């Protein structure tokens, strides 16, 4: 099972991708989606949305 964890925020949104096989956990990817404070909130949320969609498309998690 692939799990996508998200630590929400508008300036920085953290994420981690974990592979779970039986009782074994393996870190596949992690990172931070950064936006700048001088951008309008609408643009910041759009960037976060696009990046998260990309993660979902790439890893195809079963659980978020």
């Amino acid at each position: 099972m692939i799990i996508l964890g998200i630590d929400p925020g508008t300036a920085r949104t953290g994420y981690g991708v974990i592979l779970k096989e039986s009782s074994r956990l393996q870190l596949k990817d992690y990172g931070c989606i950064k936006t700048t404070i001088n951008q309008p909130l609408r643009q910041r949320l759009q960037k976060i949305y696009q990046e998260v969609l990309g993660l979902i498309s790439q890893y195809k998690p079963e659980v978020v």
Side-chain angles (χ1 to χ4, degrees):
M1 171 189 320
I2 297 176
I3 303 164
L4 172 62
I6 297 176
D7 180 14
T10 54
R12 291 186 176 96
T13 299
Y15 67 88
V17 181
I18 298 167
L19 173 62
K20 182 178 186 286
E21 295 175 319
S22 297
S23 62
R24 184 172 169 242
L25 299 174
Q26 179 184 3
L27 179 64
K28 300 300 281 179
D29 191 12
Y30 65 93
C32 184
I33 303 166
K34 297 177 186 175
T35 64
T36 57
I37 193 118
N38 59 355
Q39 287 180 309
L41 181 59
R42 177 179 46 89
Q43 288 179 348
R44 295 168 80 180
L45 292 174
Q46 180 67 28
K47 179 177 180 178
I48 294 166
Y49 174 78
Q50 291 298 325
E51 298 266 348
V52 170
L53 275 184
L55 290 168
I56 291 170
S57 177
Q58 180 178 356
Y59 291 105
K60 298 175 181 31
E62 297 173 54
V63 177
V64 177

